[in-house]
Amino acid sequence: MATHAGVSHQTVSNVLNGRASRVSDATRERVVASISALDYRMNQSARSLRRGRTGTVGLALPSFDSEYYGAFAEALMVRFADRGIRLVAEHTGGIVSAEISALASSHLDAYDGFVLALAAGDAEHLDRIEAAKPIVLVGERALANRFDHLLMDNVGGARRATEHLLQRGARRIVVLGGAAAEEESMPGLRTRGHLEALSAAGIDPDPALILPSGFTQAAGCDGLRSLLARDHRFDAVFAVTDAAALGALRALADAGLRVPDDVQVVGFDNIAAAAHSTPRLTTVDPNNAARADSVVELMMARLDGDSAPLGRQVIMHPAALVERESTLSRQQIEPGRRRGGPGA
């Protein structure tokens, strides 16, 4: 192929392996034209063997029945496939022992690298890992460890959600699925962002409105029903997940309350179902496309290892608010309206 394109074998390798920055546009187009003309198909197995690789990256998730994790896994799978790498998903159940086992050296032998959606482990647990393969963590909390880590903008996203509700006139906001703001967990961090917004607005929080619950639709529905039964007064709900927010919509409808006229609702995650609920759900978009891109770029940089040494990378993409009918009247809705992040 190099002879056909009139370039060196290294140039062909650069194009095939996605190192486009080393090749001019004109040269890359010649190589691509030769690939097409010669009907070239890269033998991934042979290529992996030559490079001492399996051609496979592992992914461990705490849950398979979550729409959020399912969409994120699919985004990663597509992006790794574009690089000629197969992604294999495993289940941890959000249990520390399963997360640590997934990173054990004997387990990693089956993979070139591993992506772990960290739900339970902490820095102390991760310090026990002596992995010779690249590891990228995807998680909620900033941990002092040696692995690349892609963080979620939990605090910033929750702050934007609460600010939006305050701007819409809400003053008594339920945090559905909330937790103590000191917790370095997803609900704790999102509660922290909510409280920061209240403090900036000079509003004292009501502890009774921080409502612990699960994060599923059923948990959100049951949690809000229990609050309604206790006759607590509130005018808005910030649910720490979209699934819980969808459950809240059901509970409010059953109670004869209108959304957004009587109670406004905001979720977090921007799952596909949020755009199709009744009413459509205002939510925080964590920018999963950019997050998936970053995971793959980090992993490929570690696997290729042919550039300048790369120090530990910690990345957080800003979250954006997607405004829909659960906080806005139909007259106020603009298609794809977003605030507080990319594309705002």
Side-chain angles (χ1 to χ4, degrees):
M1 186 193 305
T3 301
H4 187 276
V7 299
S8 69
H9 291 288
Q10 183 59 52
T11 298
V12 171
S13 175
N14 287 337
V15 173
L16 290 176
N17 290 288
R19 297 187 286 265
S21 61
R22 305 181 182 184
V23 182
S24 70
D25 289 343
T27 300
R28 182 178 56 80
E29 289 174 5
R30 288 208 311 275
V31 174
V32 170
S34 292
I35 290 172
S36 178
L38 298 175
D39 194 25
Y40 175 79
R41 297 290 184 272
M42 183 164 58
N43 186 324
Q44 184 63 45
S45 297
R47 175 174 175 263
S48 297
L49 287 172
R50 285 197 304 272
R51 304 179 71 176
R53 294 189 190 174
T54 66
T56 304
V57 166
L59 168 67
L61 299 174
S63 171
F64 282 167
D65 62 359
S66 159
E67 184 175 346
Y68 168 77
Y69 280 120
F72 190 60
E74 183 173 1
L76 288 177
M77 192 167 296
V78 169
R79 285 160 173 77
F80 274 117
D82 287 343
R83 304 296 188 98
I85 291 179
R86 185 165 60 99
L87 189 69
V88 176
E90 303 183 4
H91 182 255
T92 66
I95 300 171
V96 172
S97 59
E99 292 179 350
I100 300 307
S101 294
L103 302 182
S105 295
S106 58
H107 185 78
L108 291 180
D109 285 344
Y111 303 108
D112 296 326
F114 206 85
V115 180
L116 172 63
L118 190 70
D122 57 25
E124 180 181 356
H125 297 122
L126 294 172
D127 283 342
R128 305 174 191 169
I129 303 299
E130 297 181 1
K133 303 288 183 72
I135 293 171
V136 177
L137 302 178
V138 180
E140 315 291 344
R141 301 157 291 151
L143 300 177
N145 65 83
R146 64 189 184 280
F147 302 120
D148 295 328
H149 200 157
L150 193 76
L151 296 170
M152 175 82 78
D153 186 17
N154 287 303
V155 175
R159 187 169 54 242
R160 293 181 188 102
T162 301
E163 288 169 349
H164 173 69
L165 290 170
L166 294 172
Q167 291 164 4
R168 300 288 303 150
R171 289 298 179 268
R172 292 186 56 77
I173 304 171
V174 174
V175 183
L176 184 59
E182 295 77 21
E183 288 187 17
E184 292 294 322
S185 62
M186 178 273 282
L189 293 170
R190 293 180 186 180
T191 301
R192 186 182 307 169
H194 164 78
L195 294 176
E196 286 181 3
L198 291 185
S199 177
I203 297 175
D204 293 329
D206 182 350
L209 298 182
I210 307 297
L211 186 63
S213 74
F215 311 128
T216 64
Q217 291 189 38
C221 185
D222 292 344
L224 201 60
R225 278 177 176 163
S226 69
L227 189 66
L228 288 164
R230 296 196 298 272
D231 204 28
H232 279 291
R233 183 172 57 86
F234 59 92
D235 53 16
V237 175
F238 165 50
V240 300
T241 66
D242 281 349
L246 295 175
L249 293 179
R250 178 72 266 168
L252 292 168
D254 289 346
L257 295 170
R258 298 167 301 165
V259 177
D261 297 357
D262 299 321
V263 179
Q264 300 179 70
V265 180
V266 177
F268 199 119
D269 289 334
N270 197 24
I271 62 175
H276 302 285
S277 59
T278 304
R280 294 178 178 87
L281 182 65
T282 293
T283 183
V284 176
D285 182 357
N287 201 354
N288 275 334
R291 298 179 76 241
D293 286 339
S294 292
V295 169
V296 175
E297 292 300 329
L298 283 172
M299 182 60 70
M300 297 309 299
R302 297 299 182 189
L303 291 177
D304 288 342
D306 54 0
S307 56
L310 184 68
R312 179 191 181 226
Q313 301 293 296
V314 179
I315 298 173
M316 179 188 291
H317 293 284
L321 188 72
V322 181
E323 300 176 14
R324 299 194 182 107
E325 296 165 350
S326 66
T327 59
L328 301 174
S329 66
R330 291 184 181 275
Q331 291 76 17
Q332 294 171 313
I333 297 292
E334 299 173 10
R337 184 171 176 180
R338 302 161 70 93
R339 288 184 180 174

